[in-house]
Amino acid sequence: MKTLREFVKPFRIDDGAGFRLKDFDPADTNALKSKEHAAEILEDGIARLAELQDKLYAQDQWAVLVILQGMDGAGKDSTVKHVMSGVNPMGCSAIGFKVPSEEELQHDYLWRTTRFLPARGSIGIFNRSYYEEVLVVRVHPEALEREKLPKELVTDKIWQERYEDINAHELYLSHNGIVILKFFLNLSQKEQKKRFLKRLDEPEKNWKFQLSDVQERQYWDDYMSAYEKMVRNTSTGHAPWHVVPADHKWFAHVVVAETIIDALEKLDLDYPKLDAERRAELKKARAFLEHEK
Ligand code: AMP
Ligand code: MG
């Protein structure tokens, strides 16, 4: 039996050169054959994640930034809900990025996400991110027009410039102790249709449904091309993309959980060691409590 680490490795892209989306099957479940087995692994993973997060928080040095991207219905929300279900909310933040507001459009595009970067000791989740700037904005030129950029800066090099700027930004963050893990939840068009129909059928899911989500399906190929170029151009050793098969939510959750665990384990986290002075202080505190009337 492969270890979980080996098992999630094929989805990690450290160097995007030559990446082709068609080599990645959205319905892949690797060696994992059943939902039940996945549930067991996830349960165990959630407990390990909680322990690691406790140390991350106590050590107060590293931060972890988890970026989730994917088409509507790919399971970004449910991944956050399931994978992070055991972590202490004190050491965790999650934020979703929508169509930019008027205020956000008054600034450079990294402004709105930078404000929500995780603090030391914590895990921050971006549900969508600055990557929308090379995805939806690339697919819909009118979104770029709304960004009020000086005309001479909008050239056919803009996407390449954005990849370079994003890579530089992520390198800077990594030099500052922020570990970046990026997940593209790779959903098939067929499975998206099934999930949309479910959103229409089930009253508790109706709120999630927007007509525009369905209309976006006509741009599917443009989106896939934008995703492919994004992975090719922004997969680096310090901020790899993980192309997660997302047609089976239970499998996607295991891959995301194990990837985060693996990254935390590599940090060699531990509780801060006490120096002699601190130990003497604790001794005094104990004596104080024991002599209390
Ligand atoms: P949802 O994630 O379903 O709440 O939808 C959020 C919507 O905001 C999606 O349609 C995104 O494409 C859109 N969105 C997010 N970031 C941007 C951006 N920078 N520019 C334009 N649209 C965006
Ligand atoms: Mg939506």
Side-chain angles (χ1 to χ4, degrees), residues 72 128 199 208 210 213:
D72 261 300
R128 302 189 188 269
R199 284 185 185 178
K208 274 205 155 188
Q210 279 178 308
D213 294 348

mmCIF file of all heavy atoms in Angstrom, residues 72 128 199 208 210 213, ligand 2:
data_model
loop_
_atom_site.group_PDB
_atom_site.id
_atom_site.type_symbol
_atom_site.label_atom_id
_atom_site.label_comp_id
_atom_site.label_asym_id
_atom_site.label_seq_id
_atom_site.Cartn_x
_atom_site.Cartn_y
_atom_site.Cartn_z
ATOM 1 N N ASP A 72 -17.495 27.080 -10.890
ATOM 2 C CA ASP A 72 -18.643 27.003 -9.993
ATOM 3 C C ASP A 72 -19.059 25.553 -9.843
ATOM 4 O O ASP A 72 -19.100 24.817 -10.832
ATOM 5 C CB ASP A 72 -19.815 27.782 -10.602
ATOM 6 C CG ASP A 72 -19.926 29.149 -9.995
ATOM 7 O OD1 ASP A 72 -20.121 29.233 -8.768
ATOM 8 O OD2 ASP A 72 -19.797 30.117 -10.753
ATOM 9 N N ARG A 128 -11.276 31.409 -3.957
ATOM 10 C CA ARG A 128 -10.951 32.298 -5.072
ATOM 11 C C ARG A 128 -9.908 33.284 -4.563
ATOM 12 O O ARG A 128 -9.721 33.443 -3.354
ATOM 13 C CB ARG A 128 -12.155 33.044 -5.642
ATOM 14 C CG ARG A 128 -13.269 32.116 -6.149
ATOM 15 C CD ARG A 128 -14.322 32.930 -6.884
ATOM 16 N NE ARG A 128 -15.497 32.148 -7.220
ATOM 17 C CZ ARG A 128 -15.648 31.491 -8.361
ATOM 18 N NH1 ARG A 128 -14.690 31.510 -9.265
ATOM 19 N NH2 ARG A 128 -16.751 30.819 -8.599
ATOM 20 N N ARG A 199 -28.642 21.613 -7.484
ATOM 21 C CA ARG A 199 -28.901 22.915 -6.845
ATOM 22 C C ARG A 199 -30.313 23.399 -7.171
ATOM 23 O O ARG A 199 -30.921 24.123 -6.389
ATOM 24 C CB ARG A 199 -27.889 23.965 -7.307
ATOM 25 C CG ARG A 199 -26.541 23.800 -6.665
ATOM 26 C CD ARG A 199 -25.569 24.915 -7.034
ATOM 27 N NE ARG A 199 -24.265 24.607 -6.468
ATOM 28 C CZ ARG A 199 -23.175 25.336 -6.617
ATOM 29 N NH1 ARG A 199 -23.225 26.437 -7.323
ATOM 30 N NH2 ARG A 199 -22.023 24.978 -6.067
ATOM 31 N N LYS A 208 -27.704 28.780 -3.702
ATOM 32 C CA LYS A 208 -26.383 28.799 -4.334
ATOM 33 C C LYS A 208 -26.472 29.031 -5.823
ATOM 34 O O LYS A 208 -25.472 29.274 -6.480
ATOM 35 C CB LYS A 208 -25.688 27.449 -4.109
ATOM 36 C CG LYS A 208 -24.947 27.378 -2.818
ATOM 37 C CD LYS A 208 -23.833 26.362 -2.917
ATOM 38 C CE LYS A 208 -22.750 26.692 -1.932
ATOM 39 N NZ LYS A 208 -21.579 25.899 -2.064
ATOM 40 N N GLN A 210 -27.212 30.546 -9.428
ATOM 41 C CA GLN A 210 -27.363 31.815 -10.150
ATOM 42 C C GLN A 210 -27.445 31.503 -11.639
ATOM 43 O O GLN A 210 -26.696 30.646 -12.122
ATOM 44 C CB GLN A 210 -26.148 32.698 -9.910
ATOM 45 C CG GLN A 210 -26.220 33.445 -8.591
ATOM 46 C CD GLN A 210 -24.966 34.278 -8.393
ATOM 47 O OE1 GLN A 210 -23.864 33.764 -8.506
ATOM 48 N NE2 GLN A 210 -25.147 35.546 -8.117
ATOM 49 N N ASP A 213 -24.282 31.373 -13.550
ATOM 50 C CA ASP A 213 -23.418 30.187 -13.455
ATOM 51 C C ASP A 213 -23.626 29.298 -14.675
ATOM 52 O O ASP A 213 -22.668 28.751 -15.234
ATOM 53 C CB ASP A 213 -23.747 29.358 -12.201
ATOM 54 C CG ASP A 213 -23.429 30.107 -10.915
ATOM 55 O OD1 ASP A 213 -22.759 31.157 -10.982
ATOM 56 O OD2 ASP A 213 -23.858 29.638 -9.845
HETATM 57 MG MG MG B 2 -21.245 30.420 -7.318
#
